[in-house]
Amino acid sequence: MEECTLCANYTYDMEFSEYYCDINMDEDDFMRFISNNYKSCPYFRNGDEYEIVRKQI
């Protein structure tokens, strides 16, 4: 899923030097998520801080 890189829940872990999804999913949700049964991620939240500013213009 390439939209993960734009998600506000996609955070960087300095200890492991990698990005991960910061959503607390149960086993069933996680299996659906990795098996591509989700057409788009239900947990996606736009991480663009400037989205509100662009709407004001």
Side-chain angles (χ1 to χ4, degrees):
M1 291 182 147
E2 60 189 61
E3 68 181 25
C4 289
T5 57
L6 302 175
C7 185
N9 298 317
Y10 196 58
T11 57
Y12 185 73
D13 185 358
M14 294 181 103
E15 183 178 342
F16 295 108
S17 299
E18 63 184 19
Y19 287 91
Y20 68 98
C21 183
D22 199 18
I23 294 295
N24 189 8
M25 293 185 233
D26 65 4
E27 293 174 2
D28 296 329
D29 282 339
F30 185 70
M31 287 307 293
R32 279 191 293 268
F33 185 72
I34 63 173
S35 67
N36 289 331
N37 285 344
Y38 284 133
K39 299 299 179 205
S40 63
C41 180
Y43 306 108
F44 179 78
R45 203 178 69 198
N46 195 348
D48 185 9
E49 299 121 16
Y50 299 107
E51 180 180 24
I52 295 171
V53 176
R54 282 194 293 272
K55 287 182 180 180
Q56 293 175 351
I57 296 176

Coordinates of all heavy atoms in Angstrom, one line a residue:
M1 N 0.8 -1.2 0.0 CA 0.0 0.0 0.0 C 0.9 1.2 0.0 O 1.6 1.5 1.0 CB -0.9 0.0 1.2 CG -1.9 -1.0 1.3 SD -2.9 -0.8 2.8 CE -4.4 -1.3 2.2
E2 N 0.9 2.0 -1.1 CA 1.7 3.1 -1.1 C 1.1 4.3 -0.4 O 1.8 5.2 -0.1 CB 1.9 3.5 -2.6 CG 0.7 3.8 -3.3 CD 1.0 4.0 -4.8 OE1 1.5 3.0 -5.4 OE2 0.8 5.1 -5.3
E3 N -0.2 4.3 0.0 CA -0.7 5.4 0.7 C -0.2 5.4 2.2 O -0.4 6.4 2.9 CB -2.2 5.4 0.7 CG -2.9 4.3 1.4 CD -4.4 4.4 1.2 OE1 -4.9 5.0 0.3 OE2 -5.1 3.9 2.1
C4 N 0.4 4.4 2.7 CA 0.9 4.3 4.0 C 1.9 5.5 4.3 O 2.0 6.0 5.4 CB 1.5 3.0 4.3 SG 0.3 1.6 4.5
T5 N 2.7 5.8 3.3 CA 3.7 6.8 3.5 C 3.1 8.2 3.7 O 3.8 9.1 4.2 CB 4.7 6.9 2.2 OG1 3.9 7.1 1.1 CG2 5.5 5.6 2.1
L6 N 1.9 8.4 3.3 CA 1.2 9.7 3.4 C 0.3 9.7 4.7 O -0.2 10.7 5.1 CB 0.3 9.9 2.2 CG 0.9 10.0 0.9 CD1 -0.1 10.1 -0.2 CD2 2.0 11.1 0.8
C7 N 0.3 8.6 5.4 CA -0.6 8.5 6.6 C 0.0 9.0 7.8 O 1.2 8.9 8.1 CB -1.0 7.0 6.8 SG -2.2 6.7 8.1
A8 N -0.8 9.7 8.7 CA -0.4 10.2 9.9 C 0.0 9.1 10.9 O 0.7 9.4 11.9 CB -1.4 11.2 10.5
N9 N -0.6 7.9 10.7 CA -0.3 6.8 11.6 C 1.0 6.0 11.3 O 1.3 5.1 11.9 CB -1.5 5.8 11.6 CG -2.7 6.5 12.1 OD1 -2.8 7.2 13.0 ND2 -3.8 6.2 11.4
Y10 N 1.6 6.4 10.2 CA 2.9 5.8 9.8 C 4.0 6.5 10.4 O 4.4 7.6 10.0 CB 3.0 5.9 8.2 CG 3.9 5.0 7.6 CD1 3.8 3.6 7.7 CD2 4.9 5.5 6.8 CE1 4.7 2.7 7.1 CE2 5.8 4.6 6.1 CZ 5.7 3.3 6.3 OH 6.6 2.4 5.6
T11 N 4.6 5.9 11.5 CA 5.6 6.6 12.3 C 6.9 5.9 12.2 O 7.0 4.8 11.9 CB 5.1 6.7 13.8 OG1 4.9 5.4 14.3 CG2 3.9 7.5 13.9
Y12 N 7.9 6.7 12.6 CA 9.3 6.2 12.5 C 9.8 5.8 13.9 O 9.6 6.5 14.9 CB 10.2 7.3 12.0 CG 11.7 6.8 11.8 CD1 12.0 6.0 10.7 CD2 12.7 7.2 12.6 CE1 13.3 5.6 10.5 CE2 14.0 6.8 12.4 CZ 14.3 6.0 11.3 OH 15.5 5.5 11.1
D13 N 10.3 4.6 14.0 CA 10.9 4.1 15.2 C 12.4 4.2 15.2 O 13.0 3.5 14.4 CB 10.4 2.6 15.4 CG 10.9 2.0 16.8 OD1 11.5 2.7 17.6 OD2 10.5 0.8 17.0
M14 N 12.9 5.1 16.0 CA 14.3 5.3 16.0 C 15.1 4.1 16.5 O 16.3 3.9 16.1 CB 14.7 6.6 16.9 CG 14.1 7.8 16.3 SD 14.5 9.2 17.2 CE 15.9 9.9 16.2
E15 N 14.6 3.4 17.4 CA 15.3 2.2 18.0 C 15.6 1.1 16.9 O 16.6 0.6 16.9 CB 14.5 1.6 19.1 CG 15.1 0.5 19.8 CD 14.3 -0.1 21.0 OE1 13.4 0.6 21.5 OE2 14.6 -1.2 21.4
F16 N 14.6 0.9 16.1 CA 14.7 -0.1 15.0 C 15.0 0.5 13.7 O 15.2 -0.3 12.7 CB 13.4 -1.0 14.9 CG 13.2 -1.8 16.2 CD1 12.1 -1.5 17.0 CD2 14.0 -2.9 16.5 CE1 11.9 -2.2 18.2 CE2 13.7 -3.6 17.6 CZ 12.7 -3.3 18.5
S17 N 15.1 1.8 13.6 CA 15.4 2.5 12.3 C 14.4 2.1 11.2 O 14.9 1.8 10.1 CB 16.8 2.3 11.9 OG 17.7 2.8 12.9
E18 N 13.1 2.0 11.5 CA 12.2 1.7 10.4 C 10.8 2.3 10.7 O 10.5 2.7 11.8 CB 12.0 0.2 10.3 CG 11.5 -0.5 11.5 CD 11.4 -2.0 11.4 OE1 12.1 -2.6 10.6 OE2 10.7 -2.6 12.2
Y19 N 10.0 2.4 9.7 CA 8.7 2.9 9.8 C 7.7 1.8 10.1 O 7.9 0.7 9.7 CB 8.2 3.6 8.5 CG 8.9 4.9 8.3 CD1 10.1 5.0 7.6 CD2 8.3 6.1 8.8 CE1 10.7 6.2 7.4 CE2 9.0 7.3 8.6 CZ 10.1 7.4 7.9 OH 10.7 8.6 7.7
Y20 N 6.6 2.1 10.8 CA 5.6 1.1 11.1 C 4.2 1.8 11.2 O 4.1 3.0 11.5 CB 5.9 0.3 12.3 CG 5.8 1.1 13.6 CD1 4.7 1.1 14.4 CD2 6.9 2.0 14.0 CE1 4.6 1.8 15.6 CE2 6.8 2.7 15.2 CZ 5.7 2.6 15.9 OH 5.6 3.4 17.1
C21 N 3.2 1.0 11.1 CA 1.8 1.5 11.3 C 1.5 1.5 12.8 O 1.6 0.5 13.5 CB 0.8 0.6 10.6 SG -0.9 1.3 10.7
D22 N 1.1 2.7 13.3 CA 0.9 2.9 14.8 C -0.5 2.6 15.2 O -0.9 3.0 16.3 CB 1.3 4.3 15.1 CG 1.6 4.5 16.6 OD1 1.8 3.5 17.3 OD2 1.5 5.7 17.0
I23 N -1.3 1.9 14.4 CA -2.7 1.5 14.8 C -2.7 0.2 15.6 O -2.0 -0.7 15.2 CB -3.5 1.4 13.5 CG1 -3.7 2.7 12.8 CG2 -4.9 0.8 13.9 CD1 -4.4 3.8 13.6
N24 N -3.4 0.2 16.7 CA -3.6 -1.0 17.5 C -4.7 -1.9 16.9 O -5.9 -1.6 17.1 CB -3.9 -0.6 18.9 CG -3.8 -1.8 19.8 OD1 -3.4 -2.9 19.5 ND2 -4.2 -1.6 21.1
M25 N -4.3 -2.8 16.0 CA -5.3 -3.7 15.4 C -5.4 -5.0 16.1 O -4.4 -5.5 16.7 CB -4.9 -4.0 13.9 CG -4.9 -2.8 13.0 SD -4.5 -3.4 11.4 CE -3.2 -2.3 11.0
D26 N -6.6 -5.7 16.0 CA -6.6 -7.0 16.6 C -6.2 -8.0 15.5 O -5.9 -7.6 14.3 CB -8.0 -7.3 17.1 CG -9.1 -7.3 16.0 OD1 -8.8 -7.2 14.8 OD2 -10.3 -7.5 16.3
E27 N -6.1 -9.3 15.8 CA -5.6 -10.3 14.8 C -6.4 -10.3 13.5 O -5.9 -10.5 12.4 CB -5.6 -11.7 15.5 CG -4.7 -11.8 16.6 CD -4.8 -13.2 17.3 OE1 -5.7 -14.0 16.8 OE2 -4.1 -13.4 18.3
D28 N -7.8 -10.3 13.7 CA -8.6 -10.4 12.5 C -8.4 -9.2 11.5 O -8.3 -9.3 10.3 CB -10.1 -10.5 12.9 CG -10.4 -11.7 13.6 OD1 -9.7 -12.7 13.4 OD2 -11.3 -11.7 14.5
D29 N -8.4 -8.0 12.1 CA -8.1 -6.8 11.3 C -6.7 -6.8 10.6 O -6.6 -6.5 9.5 CB -8.2 -5.5 12.1 CG -9.6 -5.1 12.4 OD1 -10.5 -5.5 11.7 OD2 -9.8 -4.4 13.4
F30 N -5.8 -7.3 11.3 CA -4.4 -7.4 10.8 C -4.3 -8.4 9.6 O -3.7 -8.1 8.6 CB -3.4 -7.7 11.9 CG -2.0 -7.7 11.4 CD1 -1.4 -6.5 11.0 CD2 -1.3 -8.9 11.2 CE1 -0.1 -6.5 10.6 CE2 0.0 -8.9 10.7 CZ 0.6 -7.7 10.4
M31 N -5.0 -9.5 9.8 CA -5.0 -10.5 8.7 C -5.7 -10.0 7.5 O -5.2 -10.2 6.3 CB -5.6 -11.8 9.2 CG -4.8 -12.6 10.1 SD -3.1 -12.9 9.5 CE -3.4 -14.0 8.2
R32 N -6.8 -9.3 7.6 CA -7.5 -8.7 6.5 C -6.6 -7.6 5.8 O -6.6 -7.5 4.6 CB -8.8 -8.1 6.9 CG -9.9 -9.1 7.0 CD -11.3 -8.4 7.2 NE -11.4 -7.7 8.5 CZ -11.9 -8.3 9.6 NH1 -12.3 -9.5 9.6 NH2 -11.9 -7.6 10.7
F33 N -5.9 -6.9 6.7 CA -5.1 -5.8 6.2 C -3.9 -6.3 5.3 O -3.7 -5.8 4.2 CB -4.5 -5.0 7.4 CG -3.7 -3.8 7.0 CD1 -4.3 -2.7 6.5 CD2 -2.4 -3.8 7.2 CE1 -3.6 -1.5 6.1 CE2 -1.6 -2.7 6.8 CZ -2.2 -1.6 6.3
I34 N -3.2 -7.3 5.8 CA -2.1 -7.9 5.0 C -2.5 -8.8 3.9 O -1.7 -9.0 3.0 CB -1.1 -8.6 5.9 CG1 -1.7 -9.8 6.6 CG2 -0.5 -7.6 6.9 CD1 -0.6 -10.7 7.3
S35 N -3.8 -9.3 3.9 CA -4.2 -10.1 2.8 C -4.9 -9.3 1.7 O -5.5 -9.9 0.8 CB -5.1 -11.2 3.3 OG -6.3 -10.6 3.7
N36 N -4.8 -8.0 1.7 CA -5.4 -7.1 0.7 C -6.9 -7.2 0.6 O -7.4 -6.9 -0.5 CB -4.7 -7.3 -0.6 CG -3.3 -6.7 -0.6 OD1 -3.0 -5.8 0.2 ND2 -2.5 -7.3 -1.4
N37 N -7.6 -7.6 1.6 CA -9.1 -7.6 1.6 C -9.6 -6.2 1.7 O -10.8 -5.9 1.5 CB -9.7 -8.5 2.6 CG -9.5 -10.0 2.2 OD1 -9.3 -10.3 1.1 ND2 -9.7 -10.9 3.1
Y38 N -8.8 -5.3 2.2 CA -9.2 -3.9 2.3 C -8.9 -3.2 1.0 O -7.7 -3.3 0.6 CB -8.5 -3.2 3.4 CG -8.9 -3.5 4.8 CD1 -8.0 -3.8 5.8 CD2 -10.3 -3.4 5.2 CE1 -8.5 -4.0 7.1 CE2 -10.7 -3.7 6.4 CZ -9.8 -4.0 7.4 OH -10.2 -4.2 8.7
K39 N -9.8 -2.6 0.4 CA -9.6 -1.9 -0.9 C -8.8 -0.6 -0.6 O -7.9 -0.2 -1.3 CB -10.9 -1.5 -1.6 CG -11.7 -2.7 -2.0 CD -10.9 -3.6 -2.9 CE -11.8 -4.8 -3.3 NZ -11.1 -5.9 -3.7
S40 N -9.1 0.0 0.5 CA -8.3 1.1 1.0 C -8.3 1.0 2.6 O -9.2 0.5 3.2 CB -8.9 2.5 0.6 OG -10.2 2.6 1.2
C41 N -7.2 1.5 3.2 CA -7.1 1.3 4.6 C -8.1 2.1 5.4 O -8.3 3.3 5.2 CB -5.7 1.8 5.0 SG -5.4 1.6 6.8
P42 N -8.9 1.4 6.3 CA -9.9 2.1 7.0 C -9.3 3.0 8.1 O -10.0 3.9 8.7 CB -10.7 1.0 7.7 CG -9.8 -0.1 7.7 CD -8.8 0.0 6.6
Y43 N -8.0 2.9 8.4 CA -7.4 3.7 9.4 C -6.6 4.9 8.9 O -6.0 5.6 9.6 CB -6.4 2.8 10.2 CG -7.1 1.6 10.8 CD1 -6.8 0.3 10.3 CD2 -8.0 1.7 11.8 CE1 -7.4 -0.8 10.8 CE2 -8.6 0.6 12.3 CZ -8.3 -0.7 11.8 OH -9.0 -1.8 12.3
F44 N -6.6 5.0 7.6 CA -5.9 6.1 6.9 C -6.3 7.5 7.4 O -7.5 7.8 7.4 CB -6.0 6.0 5.4 CG -5.2 7.1 4.7 CD1 -3.9 7.0 4.5 CD2 -5.9 8.2 4.2 CE1 -3.1 8.0 3.9 CE2 -5.2 9.2 3.6 CZ -3.8 9.1 3.4
R45 N -5.3 8.3 7.8 CA -5.6 9.7 8.2 C -4.5 10.5 7.5 O -3.3 10.2 7.7 CB -5.5 9.8 9.7 CG -6.2 11.0 10.2 CD -6.1 11.0 11.7 NE -4.7 11.3 12.1 CZ -4.2 11.1 13.3 NH1 -4.9 10.6 14.2 NH2 -2.9 11.4 13.5
N46 N -4.9 11.5 6.7 CA -3.9 12.3 6.0 C -2.9 12.9 6.9 O -3.3 13.6 7.8 CB -4.7 13.3 5.1 CG -3.8 13.9 4.1 OD1 -2.6 13.7 4.1 ND2 -4.4 14.6 3.1
G47 N -1.7 12.8 6.6 CA -0.6 13.3 7.5 C -0.1 14.7 7.0 O 0.9 15.2 7.4
D48 N -0.8 15.3 6.0 CA -0.4 16.5 5.4 C -0.8 17.7 6.3 O -2.0 18.0 6.4 CB -1.0 16.7 4.0 CG -0.6 17.9 3.3 OD1 0.4 18.6 3.8 OD2 -1.1 18.2 2.2
E49 N 0.1 18.3 7.0 CA -0.2 19.4 7.9 C -0.7 20.6 7.3 O -1.4 21.4 7.9 CB 1.1 19.7 8.7 CG 1.6 18.6 9.6 CD 3.1 18.3 9.2 OE1 3.7 19.2 8.5 OE2 3.5 17.2 9.5
Y50 N -0.4 20.8 6.0 CA -0.8 22.0 5.3 C -2.1 21.9 4.5 O -2.5 22.8 3.9 CB 0.3 22.4 4.3 CG 1.7 22.6 5.0 CD1 2.7 21.7 4.9 CD2 1.8 23.8 5.8 CE1 3.9 22.0 5.6 CE2 3.0 24.0 6.5 CZ 4.0 23.1 6.4 OH 5.2 23.3 7.0
E51 N -2.8 20.8 4.7 CA -4.1 20.6 4.0 C -5.1 21.6 4.4 O -5.8 22.2 3.6 CB -4.6 19.2 4.3 CG -5.9 18.9 3.6 CD -6.5 17.5 4.0 OE1 -6.1 17.0 5.0 OE2 -7.2 17.0 3.2
I52 N -5.2 22.0 5.7 CA -6.1 23.0 6.2 C -5.7 24.4 5.6 O -6.6 25.1 5.2 CB -6.1 23.0 7.7 CG1 -6.7 21.7 8.2 CG2 -7.0 24.2 8.2 CD1 -6.5 21.5 9.7
V53 N -4.5 24.7 5.6 CA -4.1 26.0 5.1 C -4.4 26.2 3.6 O -4.9 27.2 3.2 CB -2.5 26.1 5.2 CG1 -2.1 27.4 4.6 CG2 -2.2 26.1 6.7
R54 N -4.3 25.1 2.8 CA -4.7 25.2 1.4 C -6.2 25.4 1.2 O -6.6 26.1 0.3 CB -4.2 23.9 0.7 CG -2.7 23.9 0.4 CD -2.4 22.9 -0.7 NE -2.6 21.5 -0.1 CZ -1.6 20.8 0.5 NH1 -0.4 21.4 0.8 NH2 -1.9 19.6 0.9
K55 N -7.0 24.9 2.1 CA -8.4 25.1 2.0 C -8.8 26.5 2.4 O -9.8 27.0 1.9 CB -9.1 24.1 3.0 CG -9.1 22.7 2.5 CD -9.9 21.8 3.4 CE -9.9 20.4 3.0 NZ -10.6 19.5 3.8
Q56 N -8.0 27.2 3.1 CA -8.3 28.6 3.5 C -8.0 29.6 2.4 O -8.6 30.7 2.5 CB -7.5 29.0 4.8 CG -7.9 28.2 6.0 CD -7.0 28.5 7.2 OE1 -6.0 29.2 7.1 NE2 -7.4 28.0 8.4
I57 N -7.2 29.2 1.5 CA -6.8 30.1 0.4 C -7.9 30.3 -0.6 O -8.7 29.6 -0.9 CB -5.5 29.7 -0.3 CG1 -4.4 29.7 0.7 CG2 -5.2 30.5 -1.5 CD1 -3.1 29.2 0.2

